[in-house]
Amino acid sequence: MATLALPARAAEPQVPVFWDTKERLAKPDLSSLDRLRFLTTTDFPPFNFLDAGGRLSGLHVDLVRAICSELGIADKCQIQALPWGELEQALQKGEGEAIIAGIAVTEEARTKYAFSRPYLQFPARFIMPKDAVFTEPLYSKIAGKEIGVMAGSAHERMLRDYFPNAKVVTYDKQEALFSDLKKGKIAAVYGDGMRLGFWLVGSDAADCCRFAGGPYLAPEYLGNGLAIAVKADNPALADAFNYALHALSVKGTFAELYLRYFPVSFY
């Protein structure tokens, strides 16, 4: 399990960086490309969704625009939303050249797709009442403390394995989990940082709590994060996306997009 080298003041905007600024990637030549159509869905907010005007919006939509601008092919780029179950077939039939919709990067998936490097990962986080927040290292400080987590989740397995001295309290419903945290029945909640971040800024939290410690990255439990998928026989296009994503990270463009959709960072 890896912990990003970021300050523990998780209430302040922190931006994840997954790219080495000193790395030099070759700029791709996509001048022969007639079209670059990205396929996505409409049901994965805040990454892709329909806004109040019915327009396709979200982090992925803005990221596609930034990628195409960086590659100098904005006039050739398109983005189309389809039902999740139709994405793979549409790609294989040539109805699009890339999928940006959160396809899990697994060994099985690699037989169907070539992937860019991950541009965002989902860390596990603790949240605690503001007047009782612990700082790192949390390993010894939560020993004997009751920590709430969703039953049967990857986060439960991770919590038990990496914080064996904590008293794990499992829940079947998130409402009960958060209610007990606000009532002081448990010392902390452990779970998906992105979802916990949305709860922290919502009305139900009533400004009770904040992130503590972390973020904790563990691909063996939580997966490899978000990447762009292309046909397995087109790794050169995935490499082109790597060039653009690296450049957007170095220039700070990705940070701007990330904080636009996650003003309370889950890192």
Side-chain angles (χ1 to χ4, degrees):
M1 178 180 62
T3 303
L4 285 191
L6 294 174
R9 300 187 303 276
E12 298 179 5
Q14 303 292 342
V15 178
V17 177
F18 301 111
W19 301 88
D20 182 354
T21 58
K22 297 181 180 178
E23 184 178 11
R24 295 293 179 264
L25 301 180
K27 185 173 184 177
D29 180 5
L30 299 180
S31 59
S32 62
L33 195 67
D34 294 326
R35 179 197 71 184
L36 179 53
R37 178 180 291 167
F38 291 81
L39 305 173
T40 190
T41 66
T42 60
D43 56 358
F44 189 30
F47 295 95
N48 22 275
F49 59 93
L50 297 179
D51 66 15
R55 295 179 296 270
L56 186 61
S57 305
L59 174 60
H60 280 159
V61 178
D62 288 343
L63 182 58
V64 163
R65 294 192 182 104
I67 288 172
C68 291
S69 177
E70 192 64 41
L71 294 173
I73 55 170
D75 58 331
K76 298 180 180 181
C77 277
Q78 304 171 11
I79 186 165
Q80 179 180 359
L82 296 171
W84 171 264
E86 297 180 13
L87 292 177
E88 179 181 345
Q89 184 179 17
L91 182 72
Q92 298 305 328
K93 290 171 61 178
E95 295 174 1
E97 286 67 52
I99 298 175
I100 184 164
I103 292 178
V105 183
T106 64
E107 289 304 313
E108 180 183 358
R110 289 186 185 279
T111 65
K112 306 175 184 178
Y113 307 107
F115 288 95
S116 70
R117 298 188 208 172
Y119 54 87
L120 187 62
Q121 297 183 38
F122 298 108
R125 297 297 305 264
F126 286 98
I127 57 173
M128 297 179 177
K130 285 187 172 181
D131 59 358
V133 170
F134 296 143
T135 56
E136 291 285 6
L138 263 62
Y139 182 85
S140 59
K141 295 176 182 176
I142 65 171
K145 302 292 185 181
E146 293 186 329
I147 310 298
V149 68
M150 292 302 294
S153 65
H155 297 95
E156 181 192 351
R157 298 193 299 274
M158 189 176 169
L159 179 63
R160 293 185 184 278
D161 288 348
Y162 285 99
F163 300 93
N165 295 323
K167 292 183 178 179
V168 178
V169 182
T170 59
Y171 291 81
D172 294 322
K173 295 183 178 180
Q174 282 194 334
E175 294 83 356
L177 172 70
F178 292 136
S179 177
D180 280 2
L181 177 65
K182 291 192 293 182
K183 293 176 181 177
K185 293 183 177 181
I186 54 178
V189 165
Y190 189 72
D192 175 66
M194 182 182 72
R195 297 185 185 278
L196 293 178
F198 283 131
W199 182 78
L200 288 175
V201 299
S203 58
D204 182 57
D207 201 32
C208 71
C209 309
R210 73 175 213 181
F211 285 124
Y216 305 104
L217 294 172
E220 67 273 25
Y221 292 89
L222 307 177
N224 294 295
L226 297 178
I228 304 172
V230 301
K231 284 186 177 180
D233 61 359
N234 196 8
L237 184 56
D239 287 340
F241 294 150
N242 288 335
Y243 170 86
L245 291 167
H246 178 273
L248 294 174
S249 177
V250 172
K251 293 177 179 179
T253 305
F254 183 80
E256 294 175 5
L257 296 178
Y258 173 79
L259 292 175
R260 180 183 304 171
Y261 290 95
F262 300 102
V264 175
S265 175
F266 49 86
Y267 275 85

